[in-house]
Amino acid sequence: MTTLVLGIETSCDETAAAVVRDGREILSNVVFSQTKLHERWRGVVPEVASRSHTTRILPTIEEALTTAGASPQELAGVAVSHRPGMIGCLLVGLSAAKALSWRFRVPLVGVDHVLAHVHAGYMSVPELALPGVALIASGGHTALYAVTGPLRCERIGSTRDDAAGEALDKGAALLGLPYPGGPAIQEAAKHGDPKRLALPRTMLAKDSLDFSFSGMKTALLYALRGNALQRPMPELTEQDVADYAASYQQAIVDVLVEKIVLAVRGVGARSISIGGGVARNALLRERLKERRELASCQVVFPPLDLCSDNGAMIAGLGACMLAQCETSDLGLEAFATTRPHPRTLAR
Ligand code: KG4
Ligand code: ZN
């Protein structure tokens, strides 16, 4: 018997819904991105985001069901990201999921958004070699996980300040590049010299698996303006922007790769997977493939549309939870933070 699960995602600025068969086969994956709404603010404005979700959520769900050729009655479950994220945004997806669950008597499954990013590695390669290490790097999160099974992972490091994507977004703003900064920096860096600026690689304590990116953007700011912060920003040529973008991207990627190598050693990992919007980065993917210490590891790069926020990863993890009877009742709440303790989904 096949199992169809609808996944709903509204934790940040993507209104997304997808239908997944048997936890893996993606029948539809509809994403409405609000980037245009937020670009003038250079970041996601929570109230603007939640209002946009309210107008987009029903058409997005409808399109996901229609594209998949599925009716709500056929669903085995409705999975929804209910943490972590912006509360107003999460509540829109959660309310829609509860309404569907109640109206069609379909089980409701509350999914942790970041763990769903981890799960996207499994969806791309179900025969993932274990134990594995997963890096999740996006605009809101940057963390490393030790993965021991489809529903089993433990956070082993996370950022102490900015997320990697946030650092890219802020760095892009300093360079006058558009929002979101990650793709803009990647594009500008194509013709740049990554050695032009010597930026720090903040590694924290010797064996620490935590990250710190806030100093990186301050270093870029000082590099641009010198120590006299009152001075106006200098005029940058196209080549300056390309060089600074390449140097900045290189510094962030270096830190991500070093921490992955450290985590692989610590965990004795046999695989690496990456997720979150920053996992779309071409330099990061290239460096991971080249790195000698990782040569014996299976390196999993989920397809680009499974890296950024999407409903398919929510449906995929939801299907696994459903199989373990990890369902929720209609009292399911939204939380801004990820589940604090235990840091694993395993029982
Ligand atoms: O996972 P995501 O779509 O949304 C959340 O933040 O949850 O990630 C968005 C982040 C943004 O900070 C964006 O600049 C970054 O991912 N990003 C990239 C690339 N594409 C998106 N960063 C580096 N290289 C990219 N190609
Ligand atoms: Zn995300």
Side-chain angles (χ1 to χ4, degrees):
M1 202 187 75
T2 61
T3 305
L4 296 183
V5 172
L6 172 71
I8 298 176
E9 159 59 38
T10 59
S11 66
C12 190
D13 61 340
E14 264 92 28
T15 315
V19 176
V20 168
R21 178 154 47 205
D22 296 335
R24 200 161 161 243
E25 194 189 341
I26 299 168
L27 302 185
S28 61
N29 195 11
V30 182
V31 179
F32 173 79
S33 170
Q34 302 177 1
T35 303
K36 284 267 161 271
L37 286 178
H38 301 287
E39 67 186 351
R40 59 192 279 233
W41 312 106
R42 294 196 157 277
V44 180
V45 182
E47 186 61 25
V48 172
S50 50
R51 278 169 192 253
S52 171
H53 285 311
T54 58
T55 62
R56 295 307 311 172
I57 188 69
L58 293 182
T60 303
I61 292 173
E62 215 161 14
E63 191 181 333
L65 288 169
T66 312
T67 307
S71 68
Q73 289 86 346
E74 287 174 275
L75 296 173
V78 178
V80 60
S81 58
H82 75 118
R83 72 187 315 164
M86 298 177 201
I87 290 292
C89 293
L90 288 167
L91 284 173
V92 177
L94 191 52
S95 308
K98 284 180 181 177
L100 279 169
S101 162
W102 179 78
R103 165 68 180 80
F104 296 102
R105 300 187 189 285
V106 176
L108 179 69
V109 187
V111 168
D112 182 303
H113 171 91
V114 183
L115 298 183
H117 274 303
V118 174
H119 190 75
Y122 255 108
M123 289 180 75
S124 349
V125 179
E127 53 291 335
L128 198 68
L130 297 172
V133 160
L135 168 78
I136 303 307
S138 69
H141 318 279
T142 296
L144 282 162
Y145 290 82
V147 181
T148 48
L151 283 181
R152 300 171 70 92
C153 65
E154 186 188 356
R155 197 172 66 204
I156 52 176
S158 60
T159 184
R160 295 190 188 168
D161 40 58
D162 291 353
E166 187 181 358
L168 286 161
D169 293 340
K170 289 176 176 169
L174 291 175
L175 294 173
L177 291 168
Y179 173 84
I185 284 191
Q186 173 171 303
E187 188 54 35
K190 275 185 185 160
H191 309 290
D193 172 10
K195 296 208 173 70
R196 169 91 179 264
L197 281 185
L199 293 168
R201 274 67 169 157
T202 310
M203 299 304 288
L204 303 170
K206 188 167 158 278
D207 290 326
S208 172
L209 294 176
D210 285 344
F211 301 87
S212 169
F213 289 109
S214 66
M216 208 88 97
K217 64 172 191 288
T218 314
L220 178 64
L221 180 66
Y222 278 114
L224 289 173
R225 282 195 190 177
N227 286 339
L229 284 186
Q230 300 85 342
R231 267 202 338 232
M233 281 298 243
E235 284 281 325
L236 299 177
T237 65
E238 210 173 300
Q239 192 57 50
D240 288 336
V241 172
D243 291 346
Y244 297 164
S247 305
Y248 193 65
Q249 174 180 241
Q250 182 75 63
I252 289 179
V253 166
D254 280 352
V255 172
L256 294 173
V257 172
E258 273 329 302
K259 294 285 176 177
I260 289 178
V261 170
L262 206 57
V264 163
R265 211 176 290 144
V267 169
R270 298 173 58 226
S271 66
I272 304 155
S273 62
I274 57 175
V278 179
R280 299 171 66 102
N281 187 266
L283 182 69
L284 174 64
R285 290 172 175 236
E286 210 178 285
R287 287 283 182 271
L288 286 174
K289 276 193 260 173
E290 292 169 356
R291 197 53 194 247
R292 203 169 22 87
E293 294 95 319
L294 305 178
S296 59
C297 268
Q298 178 191 26
V299 183
V300 174
F301 300 132
L304 298 187
D305 54 358
L306 268 192
C307 287
S308 32
D309 289 351
N310 66 89
M313 65 180 189
I314 305 296
L317 182 54
C320 278
M321 293 172 69
L322 192 64
Q324 305 285 319
C325 301
E326 291 192 35
T327 54
S328 311
D329 60 30
L330 293 177
L332 182 66
E333 289 181 66
F335 296 96
T337 56
T338 198
R339 193 192 302 198
H341 295 291
R343 293 184 299 184
T344 164
L345 263 180
R347 283 165 182 257

